[in-house]
Amino acid sequence: MILSTIDLPGGSRLAIISLFGSNRPTTIVDWQRKVFDHFDATINQIDCPFPAQSHGYFLDRVVERTIDRWNYLMVFDMDAIPLRPDFVGHVWDKIRDGRTLFGGAQQSNHILVNGSAQNVYVSPCFLAISRDLYLKLGRPTFDHTPRGDCAEELTWRVKERGFNLGLVYPSKVVDPCYPLDNGLHFGQGTTYGDLAYHNFCQDRANSETMFVDKCKETLARHGAAEPLSVSTP
C-alpha cells in the first residue's frame, strides 16, 4: 500500500487517511481533497469496497499494513475536513507526548455498557493518535465491539490504562439529533471548536450539497477564490 506522509520536526512522520467507497458520491471525496490541498496537508484517500465490510475493519487493515511508516496518525471521515490551516501543528502538539488520544466527541447511544450509553469517545470522523500510544494500548481494533462502535475501543483502553483523552466537543450543530453525556448534541453539520467539521448523515438527500457548501466556505475564508467545480480523474 502506497502511503504519503507529512514530515514533522525531529524526523517524525504523520499520515492522514480517509476511507471512501463507491456507495457515496465522488464529489464529496473531491471537495475534501481540495480543502486538504489548500492547507498544504497531504491526505491519503483510500478506496474501500464498502459496504462489503465495515469502516472499522478497513481501518484495521490500513493500520496493520502501514504502521511502520508513520509516527502519528490522523483519521478523517470522507465527509469531514479541518477548518484552519494550522490544524496539523495544533493536533500534533496534542498527541506528541505519546499518551494522548485526541479528536471529536461522539457517543454510541445504541450501545449500553452497564446500563449506560454515556461513554463519550474520540470519533473516527476526526481522530489523532501516536504510534507509541497505539502500541501501549495493545493495538486495539478500530472495528465495532460489544462495548463500542467504530474506534470506540481505543477510548475504552485509554480510560482503563490511565492515558489522556483529548475530546473536542461540538461548538455548533445544524441538526443536533444525537445526545452527548453533558447535555450537548451532535448530528448533521457538526463543527468541533474551530478545528474540524463533520457532516454526518450521509444518507440524507441534502448531505452532498451541505458538505460541498462547507468546503467552499472554508476555502473562501482562508484565501482561496471560491471554486465553481472540481475536476474528477
Side-chain angles (χ1 to χ4, degrees), residues 42-112:
T42 302
I43 184 171
N44 297 274
Q45 294 173 307
I46 301 170
D47 190 355
C48 298
F50 296 131
Q53 294 284 356
S54 68
H55 190 192
Y57 172 87
F58 287 113
L59 282 173
D60 279 349
R61 303 290 81 74
V62 171
V63 170
E64 286 172 4
R65 294 174 186 178
T66 66
I67 192 167
D68 293 332
R69 304 179 203 173
W70 48 263
N71 306 94
Y72 303 92
L73 177 70
M74 287 190 202
V75 177
F76 278 80
D77 267 359
M78 64 180 292
D79 60 342
I81 54 171
L83 296 177
R84 45 193 274 191
D86 64 343
F87 82 96
V88 167
H90 181 85
V91 175
W92 177 60
D93 192 54
K94 303 293 184 183
I95 64 173
R96 63 178 176 168
D97 62 358
R99 298 183 57 84
T100 303
L101 175 65
F102 183 81
Q106 193 167 310
Q107 184 170 297
S108 51
N109 294 289
H110 61 295
I111 299 175
L112 300 181

Side-chain angles (χ1 to χ4, degrees), residues 168-191:
V168 185
Y169 276 83
S171 54
K172 180 181 178 182
V173 187
V174 175
D175 182 7
C177 48
Y178 306 120
L180 289 168
D181 65 333
N182 59 357
L184 293 177
H185 289 72
F186 67 101
Q188 189 175 26
T190 298
T191 300

Side-chain angles (χ1 to χ4, degrees), residues 120-139:
V120 177
Y121 66 98
V122 174
S123 167
C125 75
F126 161 50
L127 178 152
I129 191 171
S130 65
R131 181 174 64 200
D132 284 351
L133 178 56
Y134 182 70
L135 295 177
K136 290 172 186 173
L137 297 176
R139 296 181 180 238

